[in-house]
Amino acid sequence: MEKDEEADRDNALNTRSLRYLHEIEVHGGVRAAADALGINASVVSRQVAQLERRHRVVLLERHGRRVALSDIGRSLLEHFRESCRRDADMLAQLEEFRGLRRGRVGIGVGEGFVENLLAIALERFSAEFPDIVVELHSGSTAAITAMVRNDEVDIGLCAGGKRDPSIRAKSFRAAPFCALVSPRHALAAAGPRRIRLDELKAQRLIFMPEQFGAQQYLDAILHAERLNLAPAYRCDLFSAAQAIAAAGLGVAFMSTDAARQYLDAGRLVALELEHPIAREFSSQILRRVGRRLSPAAEFLWRQIGDAMQRTLRVSRSKAGKDS
């Protein structure tokens, strides 16, 4: 009997090792995974090596300086993620069954949505679930989609992006997608108007990284117009892009909602982009297909959807003032 139990332990999958494998895949390497976990890289390497020896398989393959999961490594990772999903679903059911109102809700949110939208949705949520901890994780559209897909957050909120079959997305027409300049900028002298991108050829432009939804829309317009405009600045914070534009150093691109504080303070002027793609600019809330949300997360999902509808109506009424 003791030998059978020992054999079972030897064949059992080590959850910690699988967790490390997950972090390696998410962060793109052993050292990056260790940094994210706050542990020594040797600990991660040792755990993965033990898993490989125990089951006599190769889980990691080296491609130059990069490390990637092997086919069996990816299969193990999907098994681990599915186990985590089942555990999360069961915990949500237990919470619902017991009527508990404690726990956490994770939200991946684009920077431009935090103040204008979440504050509205969270006000009622906090009153309804005062003991629920809300964890906010910021990132680009691509990063937030990955967070939802990997169950790192319950809900995602970001600019519209590429379709993903594993993601349920509810899209909303967003506030106008605009070029933003200082009130002292030459482009603002003519007053509120629509502007074509080819009018910006001589300007110093502020771009976001390619994985940002706003930049993807801008790139789509440039491609459609066959324009090759190079940025003077590229930054991964909307607040930084707004500050640079407000200082008169360049032209930023984003929705009027994302720049609401600067617009209301008179530090930026919005010039709506004259192009069909700009008018299609959208925002979206995300959840993973097949995932059962806790009652608190389900409530927040509905609240964010309602808040997006209300915010859209307000944004449309302000659009005439900003553009």
Side-chain angles (χ1 to χ4, degrees), residues 296-308:
E298 190 70 50
F299 180 89
L300 185 55
W301 167 268
R302 295 193 300 269
Q303 286 299 304
I304 292 176
D306 292 344
M308 290 180 80

Side-chain angles (χ1 to χ4, degrees), residues 88-287:
D89 288 346
M90 180 53 67
L91 289 172
Q93 290 181 51
L94 288 172
E95 178 186 345
E96 189 171 12
F97 179 78
R98 294 196 305 263
L100 294 179
R101 303 174 72 80
R102 302 179 185 275
R104 59 169 290 279
V105 172
I107 309 174
V109 58
E111 184 189 359
F113 295 89
V114 176
E115 294 182 2
N116 297 323
L117 184 56
L118 276 184
I120 302 172
L122 287 180
E123 183 176 359
R124 185 174 175 187
F125 176 83
S126 297
E128 186 73 17
F129 296 91
D131 296 321
I132 295 289
V133 176
V134 178
E135 298 179 355
L136 300 180
H137 304 268
S138 63
S140 66
T141 295
I144 291 168
T145 302
M147 291 180 200
V148 175
R149 186 192 310 115
N150 296 332
D151 289 327
E152 296 169 29
V153 296
D154 300 284
I155 300 168
L157 174 59
C158 56
K162 298 177 181 178
R163 293 187 177 181
D164 186 321
S166 67
I167 299 294
R168 174 186 168 189
K170 190 173 183 180
S171 298
F172 299 82
R173 184 64 61 85
F177 187 60
C178 298
L180 301 171
V181 297
S182 163
R184 304 183 303 277
H185 197 284
L187 291 173
R193 64 188 179 94
R194 290 187 175 181
I195 190 170
R196 301 187 313 276
L197 273 179
D198 60 9
E199 298 178 62
L200 303 177
K201 290 180 179 178
Q203 303 298 327
R204 294 176 64 79
L205 307 180
I206 308 165
F207 285 6
M208 309 300 291
E210 294 177 355
Q211 66 267 30
F212 278 64
Q215 186 62 42
Q216 291 170 12
Y217 272 90
L218 181 60
D219 288 343
I221 298 173
L222 291 172
H223 179 75
E225 292 299 307
R226 297 181 180 179
L227 291 172
N228 184 21
L229 301 184
Y233 310 91
R234 194 183 287 273
C235 52
D236 62 358
L237 289 174
F238 281 97
S239 55
Q242 292 163 16
I244 294 170
L249 300 176
V251 182
F253 301 90
M254 64 191 72
S255 74
T256 53
D257 270 350
R260 178 54 53 197
Q261 283 193 333
Y262 273 77
L263 290 169
D264 288 346
R267 298 181 61 190
L268 285 175
V269 173
L271 305 173
E272 191 169 346
L273 294 176
E274 181 59 68
H275 198 277
I277 294 176
R279 293 191 287 274
E280 294 173 1
F281 188 65
S282 65
S283 53
Q284 58 183 352
I285 50 176
L286 312 174
R287 62 194 289 182

